[in-house]
Amino acid sequence: MHDDLSSDPAGDAVGDAPGARAVPWWQTATGYQVYPRSFCDSDGDGIGDIPGITSKLDHLADLGIGFIWLSPVYASPMADNGYDIADYRAIAPEFGTLDDFDRLVAEAKARGIGIVMDLVVNHSSSEHAWFRSACQGRDAPFHDYYIWRDPAPDGGPPDGRRAAFGGSAWSFVAEVGQYYLHLFSPAQPDLNWQNPGLRAEIWDMMRWWLARGIAGFRMDVISLIGKDVDGGIDEEGPYLHGFLQEMHREVLAGRDLVSIGESWSVSPETALMYCGRDRHELDMVFQFAHVKEGWDPVHGKFRPKPFDLVAFKRVMFDWQAVMTNDGWNSLFLTNHDLPRQVSKYGDDGEYRVRSAKALATLLHLMKGTPFVYQGEEIGMTNATFTAISQFRDLEILGHHAESVAAGMSEAEFIAGANVNGRDNTRTPMQWTDAPGAGFTAGTPWIDINDNHVRINVAADRADPDGVFAHYRRLIALRREKRVISHGALTPWHEPHPQVMVYTRDLDGERVTMIANVSGEEVRFAPDPALVAQGVCLVHNVAPRDAVTSDLALAPWEAFALLSRADGTTPLAA
Ligand code: NOJ
């Protein structure tokens, strides 16, 4: 939290430069998201597991990350791959045991890596004991832990709310004679946060995990918990900030942890209500404005829009501006709900390696906490499925039925899912070129991308110019250089359709980041105020020791130069 000025998720010594003001550890750390089902399978059942994660910690320690955001590992029927929790204090058997989990925490800590748990408390699984009881009748224990409403006069759902994964957001339970609310799927009933007993259970459960030594929480769709059901407000409802402040008081305050709130609705106008320093709520929001830029405004993600760099820059720079003096940004281009970034924003063909590095450079040198999603560090690409039977995601399958019924062709739907669908990042981690990609000795739960014979950890790490080496450099720069973690960001050349430029300034040091976000060579005349000599911190084509008044940028070339603020005097890096 903001009020805890330690700097190590493992709770040990401060890692900042001597004499520097201590800052929270998560402001100089980089996060790494593990999607357990697809990371590493230790027992050959085709599903990744916790011992598999533990076996790969050295890979993550070499990368230099500070914490792992662990997607859910709790007991679950896996309707939504664990985002449907049946027991908040148990581990899913396919992922291992609590002992395995404790070992993961200890082994990670020994490498200076914290484990950040996914807290999924907008909804539970329909197989949670609370919900099973709640369905027994209106007087049953835990009935009020969920949200029930009478049928409409015609017997149908209480209102027209749609579920994110297709269909009505209401399902009827005959024993109760009412409908329950589920904003995602019927297997994910929304919890009734108005019930103080439910909130107390959640606070207790969070403290129970913290006592196991975890480093914090990533909070799933947290902006939905304060909804006003009858007022029709689901996102950022009137009770949200009261509940988050209660969570802070009851659980987060005074502890050395990081709290990250996922929200699809948070805007530059509302962001500081969550993570402003006087709010006592969360450390940062995980927001999606830049992602939604790539969706059709009417038809959504399954009808993708071409990438528009100017719009992307506007969104990213707006968020940087909002967090200039208060709050904190999360920085990411992909996660388990999004396409692979090199396929979505870069070039996963001829310039795969170079564009993967360019995207990493332009993201990691901004202010905020970067998140790397498993496989991103070697430039893994989207899946290219050809049949609907290859997809596993309930969102894709739910929308497939609806879209085809509404007249979309099967081919158009599959093409859209291959661009923006969630299974793109869920294909197994590519460790080696072996038949199971080093992920499994068995049959994987979802197809492995055929390109694992070329794109895999072993091959990339063997290459000193590989994607991994570039990420390692960027992650180390954030830990080591305060101008990168905390310098003020100034955008330049915002209307340029191919080039992204910003500077970071702190205490007389300047970092200038220039990236050609296109597959063409670009002749570019930087603003005279950017012309500087200096030391190249990172590059993906060849080192440069100056920003000159006339730059010929190779396709997808990106570099960062460290200079003095006056731009003239070279510095030692
Ligand atoms: C957001 C999660 O990231 C996503 O995977 C999940 O399906 C929904 N929340 C519902 O929990």
Side-chain angles (χ1 to χ4, degrees), residues 182-222:
H182 51 82
L183 292 179
F184 291 91
S185 80
Q188 295 163 296
D190 279 49
L191 288 163
N192 177 18
W193 275 71
Q194 297 299 329
N195 184 309
L198 168 82
R199 299 203 301 278
E201 295 256 20
I202 292 172
W203 310 151
D204 206 43
M205 176 268 286
M206 292 173 74
R207 289 188 287 254
W208 188 83
W209 284 105
L210 286 165
R212 303 197 96 85
I214 65 167
F217 296 100
R218 172 270 184 185
M219 303 179 186
D220 190 64
V221 289
I222 203 66

Side-chain angles (χ1 to χ4, degrees), residues 35 69 80 83-84 118 120 123 165 184 188 218 220-221 262 264 335-337 394 422 426:
Y35 195 67
W69 154 20
D80 191 13
Y83 284 91
D84 48 324
D118 215 316
V120 188
H123 45 269
F165 299 149
F184 291 91
Q188 295 163 296
R218 172 270 184 185
D220 190 64
V221 289
E262 186 207 29
W264 284 81
N335 73 9
H336 67 293
D337 293 330
L394 86 171
R422 306 199 302 179
R426 299 179 181 186

Side-chain angles (χ1 to χ4, degrees), residues 299-317:
H299 300 282
K301 69 199 275 186
F302 294 110
R303 185 164 291 167
K305 266 189 351 196
F307 178 57
D308 173 350
L309 178 66
V310 174
F312 173 83
K313 287 191 284 188
R314 190 180 55 241
V315 174
M316 298 305 278
F317 291 148

